[in-house]
Amino acid sequence: MSLPQPPEPIAGARLLFSLDPAVSHLNHGSFGAVPVGVQRTQQRLRDEVEANPLRFFTRGLVDRITHTRRHLAGFLGADPDGTALTTNATTGVAVVLRSLGLGPDDEVLTTDHGYGAVDLSVRRECRRSGATHRVLRVPLTATDEEITQIVRVGLRPGRTRLLVVDQLTSPTARLFPVAAIVAVAREHGVAVLVDAAHAPGMLPAPVTDTGADFWVGNLHKWGYAPRGTAVLVVAPAWRDRIEPLVVSWEQDAGFPGNVEWQATMDYTAWLSAPAGLYTLRSLGVDRVRSHNAALAAYGQGVVGDSLGVAPADLPDPGGRAVAMRIVPLPAGLATTLDGAVALRTRIAERLATEVAVNAWSGRGWLRLCGQVYNTADEYERLAARLPALLSQR
């Protein structure tokens, strides 16, 4: 089986970012990268704040936030009246967990593909409320039908209050069949929270037709927004039950205003987010998506080949639409969180390359992303130098 070919570079795209040219940034999925034009938009807004803070916060800010929310919700295929801006996906998860009113007879169900900070949030809320946290094991090679069946069997009607499932998983780059999972959960009367941290900007209209009770997604990754920009989407039946983590002056306005208004926080990231979508549209949304997915597949192929992993053994759990790919590391490497962090740091310091390394299911995995500022030779350089570094145990 031959290796995939890299896509044609998008001319001039690298110049849109202020990334250090001495480093290969192959991990866009963790913290993103903000285009220069979006940085400047946010700085102009910060200048506006400091020119007259009282005017900025007290004359029309709620309306500006509402306008921004409607713009972002339209891009995502979400109902603007059921969408709240928030600082990140894990904050949205915490809002949902706190609003459910869990008790000792309840359980929250997650999968072993979930994001670590979300699991920590679930555990904390379960400790506080006396509820139970249970984890479903989902094989990396499971088909969509098999995943749906695992969820079906794992639900406990009358006890499972919430199912948390990823739309696109962080450690394994797996695209989950969320619409089918939500349909199964609804048959059993179980609410579903979709963690879609990586979906905005990467997947087209990711909220549309999922049917989830709750959906959270970050705009700062694949939507080119400043960090601290995310959305929480809530189905109509739940909106009057949502409580913010901090009460402020818009509390009586109800959702989404009570979640969005957090006193004197920095709102400039949110107000700059439409500039990120403008950048994405200027490059061509479909063009960017196909480029990034193809580049990630190429990177996975060349790095996997350098580590002796046959193309047939390289996981492809996300399909062609996903701009993240994983490569299995040699046995015994990065099998714990500490080991994964240590290896990621070694790669960064010795190879001048930023990647993600995750410990999942007893094995270490290298995660590579594709973005418009990346080029094929960056993955090739990593492939040429990584085996020697890994051999130095």
Side-chain angles (χ1 to χ4, degrees):
M1 185 181 298
S2 61
L3 295 175
Q5 294 300 305
E8 284 292 323
I10 297 179
R14 178 65 180 80
L15 300 177
L16 297 176
F17 298 85
S18 55
L19 293 164
D20 183 353
V23 176
S24 293
H25 301 271
L26 307 182
N27 186 22
H28 187 87
S30 285
F31 296 102
V34 184
V36 172
V38 182
Q39 295 178 42
R40 290 173 177 166
T41 297
Q42 186 175 16
Q43 187 56 53
R44 286 194 294 271
L45 286 164
R46 285 174 171 157
D47 292 342
E48 179 187 344
V49 175
E50 299 311 325
N52 191 331
L54 191 66
R55 179 177 61 193
F56 180 84
F57 281 100
T58 64
R59 302 173 201 169
L61 180 55
V62 171
D63 290 339
R64 293 171 77 174
I65 294 171
T66 300
H67 177 77
T68 299
R69 177 215 311 152
R70 291 187 174 279
H71 185 99
L72 300 180
F75 175 77
L76 297 172
D79 177 3
D81 294 327
T83 301
L85 290 164
T86 186
T87 51
N88 53 46
T90 48
T91 300
V93 169
V95 169
V96 172
L97 291 170
R98 184 57 62 92
S99 300
L100 283 175
L102 296 171
D105 295 330
D106 299 324
E107 76 169 12
V108 178
L109 192 61
T110 63
T111 79
D112 60 345
H113 293 251
Y115 185 58
V118 171
D119 282 342
L120 290 173
S121 187
V122 170
R123 292 173 201 164
R124 185 188 71 169
E125 189 60 25
C126 286
R127 284 196 303 270
R128 189 193 68 82
S129 64
T132 301
H133 175 210
R134 190 160 54 88
V135 180
L136 294 176
R137 307 296 175 188
V138 179
L140 186 61
T141 57
T143 65
D144 287 355
E145 293 75 17
E146 289 169 340
I147 294 174
T148 305
Q149 182 60 19
I150 289 170
V151 171
R152 186 191 305 275
V153 173
L155 295 172
R156 295 175 180 173
R159 182 167 174 81
T160 307
R161 283 286 307 282
L162 180 70
L163 168 65
V164 183
V165 64
D166 294 68
Q167 192 161 19
L168 176 60
T169 67
S170 178
T172 58
R174 168 79 214 211
L175 193 63
F176 269 42
V178 291
I181 290 171
V182 169
V184 166
R186 179 161 288 117
E187 292 173 6
H188 295 80
V190 176
V192 180
L193 165 59
V194 174
D195 180 357
H198 291 276
M202 187 192 297
L203 305 179
V207 182
T208 305
D209 299 328
T210 62
D213 300 270
F214 314 100
W215 187 98
V216 293
N218 291 323
L219 271 297
H220 73 261
K221 297 177 184 286
W222 306 93
Y224 298 155
R227 291 167 203 89
T229 307
V231 295
L232 165 63
V233 182
V234 178
W238 291 95
R239 291 173 191 171
D240 62 354
R241 292 184 254 182
I242 295 296
E243 292 290 344
L245 299 178
V246 178
V247 172
S248 196
W249 282 106
E250 288 296 306
Q251 176 67 12
D252 291 341
F255 185 83
N258 62 349
V259 169
E260 291 176 332
W261 187 258
Q262 296 295 305
T264 52
M265 68 169 278
D266 185 353
Y267 296 97
T268 62
W270 295 357
L271 299 181
S272 305
L277 296 186
Y278 175 81
T279 302
L280 182 60
R281 291 181 173 119
S282 297
L283 293 171
V285 178
D286 292 338
R287 183 187 184 196
V288 168
R289 286 172 177 155
S290 61
H291 169 275
N292 293 348
L295 192 56
Y298 176 73
Q300 180 196 43
V302 294
V303 173
D305 183 62
S306 75
L307 298 180
V309 182
D313 295 328
L314 289 171
D316 184 19
R320 296 191 211 173
V322 173
M324 301 193 303
R325 294 288 183 116
I326 58 174
V327 178
L329 292 169
L333 281 179
T335 58
T336 66
L337 176 59
D338 289 344
V341 171
L343 179 56
R344 183 191 70 203
T345 303
R346 287 177 60 209
I347 293 172
E349 293 177 349
R350 299 189 187 185
L351 305 185
T353 302
E354 298 291 353
V355 297
V357 179
N358 295 300
W360 184 81
S361 193
R363 184 160 193 173
W365 301 83
L366 182 76
R367 193 191 72 190
L368 300 168
C369 299
Q371 189 48 263
V372 296
Y373 51 73
N374 293 131
T375 56
D377 65 289
E378 293 180 297
Y379 305 91
E380 293 161 3
R381 287 197 301 270
L382 176 62
R385 301 170 64 194
L386 184 61
L389 182 143
L390 297 183
S391 68
Q392 301 168 4
R393 302 198 183 189

